[in-house]
Amino acid sequence: MRVSRLMLVTLRDDPAEAEIASHKLLLRAGYIRRIGSGIYAYLPLLWRVLQKVSAVVREELNAAGALETLLPQLQPSELWQRSGRWAGYTDGEGIMFHLEDRQGRELGLGPTHEEVITALAADLLRSYRQLPVNLYQVQTKFRDEIRPRFGLMRGREFIMKDAYSFHANEDCLKQTYGLMDQAYRRIFQRCGLRAVAVEADSGAIGGSASQEFMVTAESGEDLILAAGDGRYAANQERAVSLPPEPQPLPPGSAVERIETPGQSTIEALSQAQGWHPTQVVKVLLLLARFEDGLQQPLLVSLRGDQQLNEVKLSNAVSHRLSAKHGTLLDLQALQPDEAAKQGLTGIPFGYIGPDLSDSMLSGAKSWAPRFERFADGTAKALEVFICGANERDAHRLGVSWGALGGAPDSADLRSAQPGDRCIHDPSQTLEASRGIEVGHIFQLGRKYSTALDATFTNESGQEEPLWMGCYGIGVSRLAQAAVEQHHDANGICWPTAIAPYEVIVVIANVKETEQVDLAERLYDQLQAAGVDVLLDDRSERAGVKFKDSELLGIPWRVVVGRGAAEGQVELVQRSTGAKQDLAADQLEATLLPQLLLERQGLLASEAP
């Protein structure tokens, strides 16, 4: 391809809409253009990148025995209602675009395809002899993001590879899960990405176990907590750790009411009273909203130095209440104004104790009449503690759970923090880094097959639900994550395996016949050798061409300049800036062995 025919339009300045480096560079280099909020056109250069990423994905999935298919983007609401996810996706999280057709039937634009693939499996897979089966697709997905941002990282339309496996038993599922884990590691390695696998929460997809693959980058939205010995890593949503040891209060002392005017926060209490945060049980008031309309107030007790992990709390609330009330739509921290709207003005926000009476909810317009109570393990472990007195401007000192009538059921509801001790080895501590999620694999178990009656006949002739796994890779997100991880002050530094072109031949001066002739010959030779090559034949100054080639991030640049008369060219590696002069006749012998390795990610040079 010749640059003069590439429809290349680059920008000198960073677009105002872009916040992170990869978004800025993809816009400046002419890879994408914004069409609307969270909606982007993939221009020819990026489309080549996406095709290469997809090719790597297909090769590894096919090698793992998966079968490619293509599923409909429009999905009937009935399937999602049967799985119990329609309300959560259209009302709670609200991430599914949904519509009615002219007959009044509800449809959704698929953010994921568990329901559709399970319905097909119910129709097609009837016997254990047909199992296991692993189906995948590379498909455009849709999410009605509240705040689209960061370009392709969090868009409303994106390209994803999603796979779904079906099994006769859990052991077979775990075996395929392991095979997909290894396939994913090869995919990211071949694409030139530094990715780490971490334990993750299964979220709205569900399942018994899941693992995310994170591309490490300072701009990542996810916080990764990992042990220094490399034996544990998890997304903070899922991470567990040993909390700091508390500073105990003397046991056996009588409960004492303490005036604490204006001291409604842990920080204020600690400063005014000299209490240590680990001696305090703080109580948070939240509201859980369910599919059946229930609005359930929650009282959550944590130790004063700990932070609530809302993902863990959501899981605990769903486990306790969703069987009766349907999907948990959302959780929100309650403030005095929300309570006032319910006609409740007596709740002493900032001074609530774990034993706040249910009578405080008497007369609420739409809330449930009693609290659901939860306690984090750090709070329940305190033998004696300080807590709110359930009246404004007062706390209680020397309280025990026995004096309060017992502790609520406990669970891990705290967010693990950098510096916490590791459970597997308390001599190790958790270290923090940022990551961009590019892949996620799940052991779904029988959640969807049970809900959609996807059964098979086992070896004993009995009907039972299929075991399932699912496995996703964000193809378009992966492409931008590669830029976030591989760039410098001058532009993109594509890993060769997914670069739109591997080599760019730059004619320094198109008015010099010898330069043009040699460049054309090298261009033809490289094409004949199977190299993806660009020829910059524009009548621009050499400096402009060099800057554009660096901005575009083509891994290798061949400069045909003043040495053309002697048959000499300059070879420049984009990622390192290393230059070498060599005879044009030696270009193929020098470059091709390097490209063969880089295409497999075996010699992926680290970007600055």
Side-chain angles (χ1 to χ4, degrees), residues 217-254:
E218 290 184 3
S219 64
E221 291 188 277
D222 292 286
L223 184 68
I224 302 168
L225 296 175
D229 62 7
R231 293 170 56 196
Y232 178 77
N235 189 312
Q236 191 182 35
E237 293 179 346
R238 174 66 182 266
V240 295
S241 66
L242 296 173
E245 292 293 334
Q247 294 189 14
L249 287 170
S253 56

Side-chain angles (χ1 to χ4, degrees), residues 13 26 68 121 123 163 177 182 186 233 267 294 301 303 308 317 329 332 350 357 394 442 452 458 460 476 598-599:
D13 300 317
L26 288 174
E68 186 169 7
D123 185 41
Y177 185 86
Q182 294 303 309
R186 290 191 297 271
E267 182 180 8
L294 175 70
S301 298
R303 202 172 75 187
L308 177 66
V317 172
L329 301 181
Q332 62 178 18
S357 173
F442 303 81
L452 281 84
N458 63 24
S460 302
S476 49
E598 290 179 0
R599 287 168 181 168

Side-chain angles (χ1 to χ4, degrees), residues 47-174:
W47 186 241
R48 290 182 65 88
V49 173
L50 296 174
Q51 287 178 312
K52 290 190 174 184
V53 173
S54 298
V56 171
V57 169
R58 286 186 167 100
E59 288 172 14
E60 293 296 341
L61 267 289
N62 292 343
L67 303 170
E68 186 169 7
T69 186
L70 188 63
L71 303 173
Q73 294 171 328
L74 274 177
Q75 304 184 27
S77 65
E78 290 83 1
L79 293 177
W80 287 71
Q81 288 163 352
R82 288 173 63 191
S83 72
R85 293 205 299 172
W86 180 257
Y89 270 74
T90 59
D91 182 15
E93 293 183 18
I95 64 169
M96 180 188 278
F97 288 102
H98 54 288
L99 63 147
E100 285 189 3
D101 66 14
R102 63 187 65 202
Q103 280 80 39
R105 293 172 296 207
E106 290 186 300
L107 301 160
L109 282 174
T112 185
H113 277 76
E114 283 80 11
E115 283 78 5
V116 170
I117 199 74
T118 307
L120 286 172
D123 185 41
L124 298 172
L125 301 177
R126 306 303 305 163
S127 168
Y128 72 93
R129 296 186 180 90
Q130 297 173 275
L131 303 172
V133 171
N134 192 355
L135 299 166
Y136 79 94
Q137 63 173 342
V138 179
Q139 169 75 282
T140 297
K141 307 280 192 178
F142 304 89
R143 287 176 64 100
D144 190 6
E145 292 283 356
I146 296 173
R147 188 190 171 198
R149 60 191 309 215
F150 302 155
L152 308 183
M153 294 291 193
R154 189 165 292 281
R156 305 174 83 186
E157 178 179 322
F158 52 96
I159 298 174
M160 182 175 173
K161 185 285 302 174
D162 48 324
Y164 307 89
S165 62
F166 298 90
H167 310 269
N169 55 62
E170 188 174 13
D171 287 342
C172 184
L173 164 59
K174 290 180 177 179

Side-chain angles (χ1 to χ4, degrees), residues 1-2 48 500-505 522-524 526-527 531-535:
M1 174 58 69
R2 297 172 184 271
R48 290 182 65 88
Y501 294 93
E502 298 167 314
V503 179
I504 182 168
V505 177
L522 294 175
Y523 174 62
D524 290 340
L526 291 171
Q527 280 191 311
V531 176
D532 284 336
V533 57
L534 266 177
L535 176 63

